[in-house]
Amino acid sequence: MKNLTKYLFLGAAALLTAACSDDNGGGGGQERPYDGPTFELSCSDVTATSAMLSIVPSDDTVGYYFDVIPAEEYAAVGGNVTEWARDLILYYFQNYPMLPVEVILEGLLSYGADSDTVEGLEPDSKYYAYAIAIDSQGNPCSKPVVADFTTEAPGDPKDCGFDFKMERILSNSATIVVRPSDTSTRYWYSIEEVDGWQGDAAIPGLVKMTIDTYAQSAGMPVENVVKGVTFRGESSERWDVMPNTSYYAYAFAVDAEGNICPDCMLYKERFKTPEYDISQAEVSLTYRYFDGDELYAANATKYPNARGKVLLQVEATPNEEAADWLVAFGSGDMTDPSIYPDSQTIQAMLQGGGQRSRKVSQFWIDGWKIGTLMSFGVDAYGLNGTLYRKLLDMKKEGASPVSQVKDPSSVAATGTALEVAARPATGLRMPPLQSRTGQRTTVGRLFAEK
């Protein structure tokens, strides 16, 4: 979903007398006079790419919407801000039919004094800021107040540097944040495999070729493609990657045609994806095992098949990161990951060889033998934690008293021994095309919470 834009105008103040009615019928009915409110709009901290807009209405009970229109789009609608606002709200109604009207309006409208900071504005560009009263059906119900402003000129791109934050590197995806030192500088940012890297000097030319090829195939002006696939200000992108592979994240300043700016450097940082993903989810285990012959002697009715067997009961305590967990028991020594790889063992546990989300699990084992107790946690994202393995050498003299066994009705269904097959002993990427203009952060947060 594209968040709504809202920009600020410098040193402006205006008053608006609104006309509102809750029953003027779908935006086409006759508006009724409403005595107020008036709006005071003021702007501060305007830069080439960001600004703060503050609005104080005279009536805190009337909902209103405030936003901006780029000058070229303002001209395209003939300065009809009422039509612009109506179409914008209708867009949300049509694209979120599952949400009641009142829920959408709650996310869009302001009541009382409000302010918002926007980032990602185009430098040295003209905008029209406006505020307009909106009724309970989403219809504009007043004449809008409008004021224009122009953002400051951009800085010199050759002075812009780039920092990379590897926010979330997984085996199949990488989320990377890029922070330019000058938010007014337009830049290209992507990732490439280290093995396919063709050199810092060659990459900008290949990027330019990629942009030109796309523009030609799509029948779009190069300038429009550049605006769609480059960035201003801090950006965060999620990339598809391959496991256990080294990449460069890289960025450089570009001009309107997609060329690297004169005297500009290419910045890059290396990272490597893991072979598989490990979370911090963990589960601690405590266990006891019991002599089946003693269980049968104590209560043959409750344990009719216990003779010659060992009962293993395991209590699990997950940590805060663990939303789920699995516990399993395997016959023999399965502690060597070179013979029983983590990935295959975890897969076997997931396919039914482990007991899931049980505070207490139990396993019936055929006689006194060596076995391996295993567990791992799973976090809220579905990522597996480290596989825990403990070798158990169960002997008759180590069995716990029958009095300490937990009632079978209070534990999980009996698990079976886990079986895992032992290992034998032997082109340039382009960001998705999209608008990257400034966005109203308040509306974005409200809709994200719905």
Side-chain angles (χ1 to χ4, degrees), residues 279-284 316-326 357 359 376-385:
S279 83
Q280 299 301 309
E282 296 180 351
V283 57
S284 301
T317 305
N319 67 0
E320 292 183 356
E321 299 291 333
D324 196 3
W325 62 92
L326 283 89
S357 301
K359 289 291 187 181
F376 65 91
V378 183
D379 66 21
Y381 297 99
L383 297 179
N384 300 329

Coordinates of all heavy atoms in Angstrom, one line a residue, residues 279-284 316-326 357 359 376-385:
S279 N 17.9 -18.9 14.7 CA 17.3 -17.8 15.5 C 17.8 -18.0 17.0 O 18.5 -18.9 17.3 CB 15.8 -17.9 15.5 OG 15.3 -18.8 16.4
Q280 N 17.4 -17.1 17.9 CA 17.8 -17.2 19.3 C 16.8 -18.0 20.1 O 17.0 -18.1 21.3 CB 17.9 -15.7 19.8 CG 18.9 -14.9 19.1 CD 20.3 -15.5 19.2 OE1 20.8 -15.8 20.3 NE2 21.0 -15.6 18.1
A281 N 15.8 -18.6 19.4 CA 14.9 -19.4 20.1 C 15.6 -20.7 20.7 O 16.3 -21.4 20.0 CB 13.7 -19.8 19.2
E282 N 15.4 -20.9 22.0 CA 16.0 -22.1 22.6 C 15.0 -22.7 23.6 O 14.0 -22.1 24.0 CB 17.2 -21.7 23.4 CG 18.3 -21.1 22.6 CD 19.5 -20.7 23.4 OE1 19.4 -20.7 24.7 OE2 20.6 -20.4 22.9
V283 N 15.2 -24.0 23.9 CA 14.3 -24.7 24.9 C 15.3 -25.5 25.7 O 16.1 -26.3 25.3 CB 13.3 -25.6 24.2 CG1 13.9 -26.6 23.2 CG2 12.4 -26.3 25.2
S284 N 15.2 -25.3 27.1 CA 16.0 -26.1 28.0 C 15.2 -27.3 28.4 O 14.0 -27.3 28.6 CB 16.2 -25.2 29.3 OG 16.9 -24.0 28.9
A316 N 10.2 -29.5 29.1 CA 10.7 -28.5 28.2 C 10.4 -27.1 28.8 O 9.3 -26.8 29.2 CB 10.2 -28.6 26.8
T317 N 11.4 -26.2 28.8 CA 11.2 -24.8 29.3 C 11.7 -23.9 28.1 O 13.0 -23.7 28.0 CB 12.0 -24.5 30.6 OG1 11.5 -25.4 31.6 CG2 11.7 -23.1 31.0
P318 N 10.9 -23.3 27.3 CA 11.3 -22.5 26.2 C 11.7 -21.1 26.7 O 11.2 -20.6 27.8 CB 10.1 -22.4 25.3 CG 8.9 -22.5 26.3 CD 9.4 -23.5 27.3
N319 N 12.6 -20.4 26.0 CA 13.0 -19.0 26.3 C 12.0 -18.1 25.7 O 11.0 -18.5 25.0 CB 14.4 -18.7 26.0 CG 14.6 -18.7 24.4 OD1 13.7 -18.9 23.7 ND2 15.9 -18.4 24.0
E320 N 12.2 -16.8 25.9 CA 11.2 -15.8 25.4 C 11.1 -15.7 23.9 O 10.1 -15.3 23.3 CB 11.5 -14.4 26.0 CG 11.4 -14.3 27.5 CD 11.6 -12.8 28.0 OE1 12.1 -12.0 27.1 OE2 11.5 -12.6 29.2
E321 N 12.2 -16.1 23.2 CA 12.2 -16.0 21.8 C 11.5 -17.2 21.1 O 11.1 -17.1 20.0 CB 13.7 -16.1 21.3 CG 14.5 -14.9 21.7 CD 14.1 -13.6 21.1 OE1 13.6 -13.7 20.0 OE2 14.3 -12.5 21.7
A322 N 11.3 -18.3 21.9 CA 10.7 -19.5 21.3 C 9.2 -19.4 21.3 O 8.5 -19.4 22.4 CB 11.2 -20.7 22.1
A323 N 8.6 -19.4 20.1 CA 7.1 -19.4 20.0 C 6.7 -20.9 19.9 O 5.5 -21.2 20.1 CB 6.7 -18.6 18.8
D324 N 7.6 -21.8 19.5 CA 7.3 -23.2 19.3 C 8.6 -24.0 19.6 O 9.7 -23.4 19.7 CB 6.8 -23.4 17.9 CG 6.1 -24.7 17.7 OD1 6.0 -25.5 18.7 OD2 5.7 -25.1 16.6
W325 N 8.5 -25.3 19.8 CA 9.7 -26.1 20.0 C 9.4 -27.5 19.7 O 8.2 -28.0 19.7 CB 10.2 -25.9 21.4 CG 9.3 -26.4 22.5 CD1 9.2 -27.6 23.1 CD2 8.3 -25.6 23.1 NE1 8.3 -27.7 24.0 CE2 7.6 -26.4 24.1 CE3 7.8 -24.3 23.0 CZ2 6.6 -26.0 24.9 CZ3 6.8 -23.8 23.8 CH2 6.2 -24.7 24.7
L326 N 10.4 -28.3 19.4 CA 10.3 -29.7 19.2 C 11.3 -30.5 20.1 O 12.5 -30.0 20.3 CB 10.5 -30.1 17.7 CG 9.3 -29.8 16.8 CD1 9.5 -28.4 16.3 CD2 9.3 -30.8 15.7
S357 N 5.7 -28.6 20.9 CA 5.0 -27.7 21.8 C 4.5 -28.4 23.1 O 3.4 -28.0 23.6 CB 3.9 -26.9 21.1 OG 4.4 -26.2 20.0
K359 N 5.0 -29.3 27.0 CA 5.7 -29.0 28.2 C 6.4 -30.3 28.8 O 7.5 -30.2 29.3 CB 4.8 -28.4 29.3 CG 4.3 -27.0 29.0 CD 5.5 -26.0 29.1 CE 5.0 -24.6 29.0 NZ 6.1 -23.6 29.0
F376 N 15.0 -28.2 19.6 CA 15.3 -26.9 19.1 C 14.1 -26.0 19.2 O 12.9 -26.5 19.2 CB 15.8 -26.9 17.6 CG 14.8 -27.4 16.6 CD1 14.0 -26.5 16.0 CD2 14.7 -28.8 16.3 CE1 13.0 -27.0 15.0 CE2 13.8 -29.2 15.4 CZ 12.9 -28.3 14.7
G377 N 14.3 -24.7 19.3 CA 13.2 -23.8 19.4 C 12.9 -23.2 18.0 O 13.7 -23.2 17.1
V378 N 11.7 -22.6 17.9 CA 11.3 -21.9 16.7 C 10.7 -20.6 17.1 O 9.9 -20.5 17.9 CB 10.2 -22.7 15.9 CG1 9.8 -22.0 14.6 CG2 10.7 -24.2 15.6
D379 N 11.2 -19.5 16.4 CA 10.8 -18.2 16.8 C 9.5 -17.8 16.1 O 8.9 -18.5 15.3 CB 11.9 -17.1 16.6 CG 12.3 -16.9 15.1 OD1 11.5 -17.2 14.2 OD2 13.4 -16.4 14.9
A380 N 9.0 -16.6 16.3 CA 7.7 -16.1 15.8 C 7.8 -15.9 14.2 O 6.8 -15.9 13.6 CB 7.3 -14.8 16.4
Y381 N 9.0 -15.8 13.7 CA 9.2 -15.7 12.2 C 9.3 -17.0 11.6 O 9.4 -17.1 10.3 CB 10.5 -14.9 11.9 CG 10.4 -13.5 12.4 CD1 11.1 -13.1 13.6 CD2 9.8 -12.5 11.7 CE1 11.0 -11.8 14.1 CE2 9.7 -11.2 12.2 CZ 10.4 -10.9 13.3 OH 10.4 -9.6 13.8
G382 N 9.2 -18.1 12.4 CA 9.3 -19.5 11.8 C 10.8 -19.9 11.6 O 11.0 -20.9 10.9
L383 N 11.7 -19.2 12.2 CA 13.1 -19.6 12.0 C 13.5 -20.5 13.2 O 13.2 -20.3 14.3 CB 14.0 -18.4 12.1 CG 13.8 -17.4 10.9 CD1 14.8 -16.2 11.1 CD2 14.0 -18.0 9.6
N384 N 14.3 -21.5 12.8 CA 14.7 -22.5 13.8 C 15.9 -22.0 14.6 O 16.8 -21.4 14.0 CB 15.1 -23.9 13.1 CG 13.9 -24.4 12.4 OD1 12.7 -24.2 12.8 ND2 14.1 -25.1 11.3
G385 N 16.0 -22.4 15.9 CA 17.1 -22.1 16.7 C 18.1 -23.2 16.6 O 18.0 -24.1 15.8

